Amino acid sequence: MGEIARLAGVSRSTVSYALSGKRPISERTRLRIQEVIDEHGFLPNASARALAHGRTRTLGLVFPTAGRRYTDMQLDFINGVVDAAAAHDHDVLLSRSGDDEDASFRRLVGERRVDGAILMEIRLEDSRVERLRGTGFPFVTMGRPGRAEGLPWVDMDFEELTARCVRHLAGLGHRHLALVSRPRELFTTGYEVAHRALAGFRTAVEAAGLVGEIHHCGDDAASGEAVVREILDHDPRTTALVALNEAALVGLYRGLAAAGRSVPGDFSVTGIAAARWAESVTPMMTGADVPSDVMGRLAVDLLLDRLADPATTPRQHLLAPDLTARASTGPAPTRS
């Protein structure tokens, strides 16, 4: 500010008033100060501004991975949050923390590096949520813990969407189905998406009088190929599957081709995935399209609402998009 004042030929306080708007100054003086700022490329110091205003204009995204890298669907969610935050002139700081004892999580929250946080990959019993609940630190969850009352969250209705997939296959005459879920270790730690999808699958299978088996699958194509062999070895009568693992989708198709099963002539595939991944396989997959951009925008909006008014009543969004009919499902083969 001192350098700007010297170059503009005004006092330091005049520069302060021009930047903060706390006191009126002449339009001519304001424009002269702005010309100096633009000419020399001066930018406000984010750390100093955070100290002065108590805000960093940065949101935290706490997003652990099951493996060494993010899946394509996870990257879609990250992109959705970053785009939504940028539209409100906020940056995003990414943390891969999986629990409240993680050093990254403690720094993010304890040192107030961000104004608030969006928590991803929620568990039914999530230590991160319990640590933040009641602390006054603003946060939103993408997903629902088992005890979600009083929390702002955005989620897909995985229980209902999985049940819709089962009902769709049952209507086509399929009697033996498989659910291809996420890795077993995620399920074991209480990953809420996997548990809610499993509940929807079991309820719908039982209601329709079908046979349904659960298979866990790693987040990669090779695991998708392997799980197809597992499915057919376990029950050769299986003629359809519901995929909850878009990272393995290409592998599922490869595995079916290697087993001599054509899609959808011999075997039908449906599931839950972002539209661009459902449309990247041949034939394109019938299923519920995950609106990652919409979910990212809703999560950011909820968090900014909390920042603007901490006393506001928490809101929730539960999304249940219709199944998009494509070409991967058809009548059950007569041999079933």
Side-chain angles (χ1 to χ4, degrees):
M1 287 175 59
E3 184 70 3
I4 293 171
R6 184 184 67 80
L7 293 170
V10 298
S11 69
R12 186 185 179 97
S13 61
T14 300
V15 175
S16 177
Y17 299 148
L19 296 176
S20 67
K22 289 182 179 179
R23 291 188 184 181
I25 61 173
S26 71
E27 182 65 10
R28 180 179 178 180
T29 300
R30 189 192 68 78
L31 289 174
R32 173 61 187 145
I33 291 171
Q34 189 61 52
E35 286 175 0
V36 170
I37 290 172
D38 293 341
E39 180 181 350
H40 293 271
F42 288 119
L43 293 171
N45 183 286
S47 297
R49 188 163 58 177
L51 287 172
H53 300 287
R55 293 281 294 274
T56 65
R57 298 196 71 82
T58 302
L59 308 179
L61 181 60
V62 184
F63 201 162
T65 60
R68 293 176 298 175
R69 64 178 184 86
Y70 290 105
T71 69
D72 291 319
M73 183 180 287
Q74 289 171 329
L75 290 173
D76 283 344
F77 277 115
I78 292 172
N79 189 62
V81 169
V82 170
D83 283 349
H88 294 279
D89 195 27
H90 279 66
D91 296 318
V92 175
L93 180 61
L94 178 64
S95 168
R96 297 178 66 168
S97 306
D99 60 64
D100 69 320
E101 295 302 322
D102 189 289
S104 174
F105 184 78
R106 294 201 304 269
R107 288 195 301 270
L108 191 77
V109 175
E111 298 177 11
R112 296 282 174 159
R113 295 189 173 191
V114 295
D115 297 327
I118 298 171
L119 307 185
M120 302 284 295
E121 302 289 64
I122 297 298
R123 272 66 171 170
L124 292 174
E125 295 184 11
D126 199 302
S127 61
R128 300 167 303 170
V129 173
E130 294 309 312
R131 183 184 180 102
L132 294 181
R133 190 192 293 266
T135 64
F137 183 84
F139 73 99
V140 171
T141 64
M142 191 89 80
R144 290 166 290 158
R147 196 165 66 89
E149 62 276 6
L151 296 179
W153 50 260
V154 180
D155 202 3
M156 293 266 287
D157 192 346
F158 286 95
E159 188 167 348
E160 170 59 21
L161 294 176
T162 307
R164 286 182 190 173
C165 290
V166 171
R167 292 194 291 267
H168 173 71
L169 295 171
L172 293 169
H174 295 277
R175 310 302 297 169
H176 292 256
L177 314 180
L179 173 68
V180 176
S181 189
R182 296 289 300 284
R184 184 177 297 278
E185 55 268 28
L186 275 183
F187 186 84
T188 302
T189 59
Y191 180 52
E192 69 100 10
V193 169
H195 281 265
R196 296 189 195 280
L198 175 59
F201 182 79
R202 283 178 169 165
T203 299
V205 163
E206 182 178 352
L210 309 178
V211 175
E213 299 293 338
I214 316 302
H215 296 267
H216 295 282
C217 180
D219 291 335
D220 57 82
S223 297
E225 293 186 58
V227 85
V228 169
R229 293 192 294 270
E230 178 184 303
I231 290 169
L232 297 179
D233 287 345
H234 182 77
D235 185 357
R237 297 170 297 174
T238 303
T239 59
L241 64 81
V242 179
L244 189 66
N245 190 324
E246 54 88 22
L249 190 57
V250 170
L252 295 177
Y253 273 66
R254 289 177 185 167
L256 289 169
R261 305 294 177 93
S262 66
V263 179
D266 301 315
F267 205 100
S268 287
V269 178
T270 185
I272 303 171
R276 68 190 185 97
W277 300 113
E279 294 173 353
S280 70
V281 290
T282 304
M284 293 188 290
M285 189 184 78
T286 293
D289 298 340
V290 177
S292 54
D293 55 340
V294 173
M295 296 182 73
R297 175 178 56 78
L298 290 173
V300 169
D301 287 347
L302 289 181
L303 185 53
L304 293 178
D305 284 349
R306 302 291 289 172
L307 293 173
D309 182 7
T312 188
T313 301
R315 295 185 292 124
Q316 299 88 29
H317 296 282
L318 185 62
L319 308 181
D322 293 333
L323 296 188
T324 299
R326 297 189 178 94
S328 67
T329 54
T334 55
R335 66 168 179 265
S336 66

